[in-house]
Amino acid sequence: MKQVIFSWYDGLIFILFFLFVVIFSMYKSRKGKTGEDYFLAGRQLTWPLIGLSMIAANISTEQFVGMAGQAAGSAGLAIASYEWMAAITMVIVALFLLPNFLRTGIYTFPEFLEYRYSPLARRLMAVYTILIYVFVLVASVIYTGGLTIVTLFSGMKFFGIEVTLIRAIWLIGIITAIYTIWGGLKGIAWADLFFGSSLIFGGFLTLIIGLRHVGGLSSFLEANQDKLHMILPRDNPVLPWTALVIGLWLPNFYYWSVNQFITQRTLAAKNLREGQLGVIFASFLKLITPFIIVFPGIMAWQLFKDQMTGPGGTDAAFPTIVRNLIPNGFLGFIFAAIGGAVISSLASMLNSASTIFTMDIYQHAVKKELPQQKIVLVGRISTFIFLIIGCLIAPILDNPSLKGIFTYLQEFQGFISPGILAAFAFGLIFKRAPKAAGLAALILNPIIYGLLLIFCGSLPVFASVQIVPIAFLNRMAITFIIIVITMGIITWLKPLDQPVKMPERKDFNMQSSPIVKWLGLTVIGLVIVLYIIFW
């Protein structure tokens, strides 16, 4: 395997990029003193910041390592369904769901469940979310970031210190702690303006260089016909076509509508129009991400499959193509873009976890209004603690039995996402659903999904009791359907006498714009065209 050698100008580009972004974001967030400033950027975000920040928070080494790895493996281009179906989901969120959330003026999505159901529903969602964020998402982003560094620089020493996974993990943690604890969401959003742009540019640069080495686009398409299909057989272990019917919609709707670390910036929108345009802008960007992540993953398998047989397997696809093909001069920028992806996503996850802990758990527990300085302090301390936990868990994920980090991420979110999504969707559609229905959704989800994972999953530890294998997306669909039926029965037996009245902000501009609808329809049309091309 080719050894990466950083030239002095690669190092200079890398250092200057991060210095500029961090200093600029810290400068822009210097005046934030209240909890609203720290957690919601003073509710003054405009659509370019919202859109790019959503994408920067979303695209991380989870995609550069996990999604590209699945593309190099058995899924091929079909893994792009996570991106292209997400674009349709985001249009629906912008048009129909976001107005409901912005109208209430909530800080967090668990807070919305308290207004709709009960304080217990709020606490349950808060605890679930923090557990998944810290023990799954934060840990996995730190691990994949460390894996990327190790893959790129294995065998190299910096100042006499060898690059190892453990050292890379703690380096990411330390840098992210400094950046996140200082600026809150406002600092994150301004940094994401540069991180998001660099991710897209760096991805296109990798795509172009990769196409040159495989003989051009036509040669690439011809050589990889078996991997360039969006519809896979029913028995595919990663993404069978049956999962596209219901299963894949569930994580997409959960992720882009009520997942705090992604949609927290929509709650910080200056007005409804800016929030909707920001989400639609992000949906356009989702259309291009498979070309800058999935295609390079397939190219890595075509050119360097013999280099992906060690630790990490196909998860090393994107780092492998960068290591082998990116020339000096561009290498520093690509590495800065990947590093920015790690820091951006990690910062967003930590900020959102600390927001939920501070507003939904700590402040609820003390049962009184806290001084704004105390709220910010609690947020910063919890951010630091969550980061330490993530760094301690991350090395455990270096385990081939997990069958790809991307699958690991999606698999374990199934413990909470169907129930949370059902609670929100059912509560918004059926105005007389009682609080018992919302509690049932949150309580039943981990039980039902856990049983399906044991008896129908693919984890080796449960191999002796498995009855019939069911893809995890289909298990999520089954969980969701059972929960919705249960909520329907509870509502039919004991509906509320009167619909729940949600709070409304009177000082917030809820005026939309016709262009939002037309741009959204354009996104949906483009997705349909892409599926026809790569059927």
Side-chain angles (χ1 to χ4, degrees), residues 189-401:
W190 279 107
D192 286 349
L193 180 65
F194 300 98
F195 287 146
S197 301
S198 66
L199 280 172
I200 295 168
F201 181 80
F204 270 117
L205 182 63
T206 305
L207 172 66
I208 292 169
I209 293 174
L211 286 174
R212 288 181 58 192
H213 282 79
V214 297
L217 180 59
S218 59
S219 296
F220 168 74
L221 296 175
E222 183 178 350
N224 296 282
Q225 291 182 27
D226 59 324
K227 286 185 174 291
L228 296 175
H229 296 287
M230 296 301 299
I231 308 300
L232 297 180
R234 184 176 178 274
D235 60 351
N236 185 274
V238 177
L239 199 62
W241 69 265
T242 53
L244 303 182
V245 179
I246 298 178
L248 192 54
W249 293 102
L250 299 180
N252 267 327
F253 270 108
Y254 165 77
Y255 191 90
W256 294 104
S257 62
V258 296
N259 181 17
Q260 185 78 23
F261 98 84
I262 290 294
T263 52
Q264 186 162 328
R265 55 266 299 138
T266 65
L267 300 180
K270 190 174 183 179
N271 52 53
L272 176 60
R273 179 181 180 275
E274 295 293 330
Q276 289 181 315
L277 286 176
V279 177
I280 296 295
F281 176 42
S283 72
F284 272 104
L285 297 177
K286 290 298 284 182
L287 297 180
I288 66 175
T289 51
F291 296 104
I292 63 177
I293 295 175
V294 176
F295 274 30
I298 296 173
M299 291 175 194
W301 181 255
Q302 178 183 350
L303 296 172
F304 309 111
K305 67 178 71 176
D306 58 317
Q307 297 183 18
M308 289 182 279
T309 56
T314 58
D315 277 346
F318 198 92
T320 298
I321 202 168
V322 170
R323 184 184 184 105
N324 283 277
L325 300 186
I326 303 301
N328 288 112
F330 292 121
L331 190 60
F333 177 79
I334 295 293
F335 191 56
I338 295 174
V342 178
I343 291 176
S344 174
S345 294
L346 191 53
S348 295
M349 292 171 189
L350 291 168
N351 181 256
S352 294
S354 68
T355 303
I356 291 174
F357 175 81
T358 304
M359 307 306 296
D360 296 315
I361 296 179
Y362 184 83
Q363 183 160 282
H364 235 231
V366 299
K367 299 184 184 303
K368 64 179 182 180
E369 285 293 323
L370 297 173
Q372 293 299 313
Q373 295 86 346
K374 181 70 174 292
I375 290 175
V376 174
L377 178 62
V378 171
R380 285 174 169 158
I381 292 173
S382 58
T383 297
F384 178 76
I385 293 173
F386 295 153
L387 182 60
I388 294 297
I389 294 172
C391 287
L392 292 174
I393 295 173
I396 301 173
L397 302 184
D398 191 32
N399 187 340
S401 66

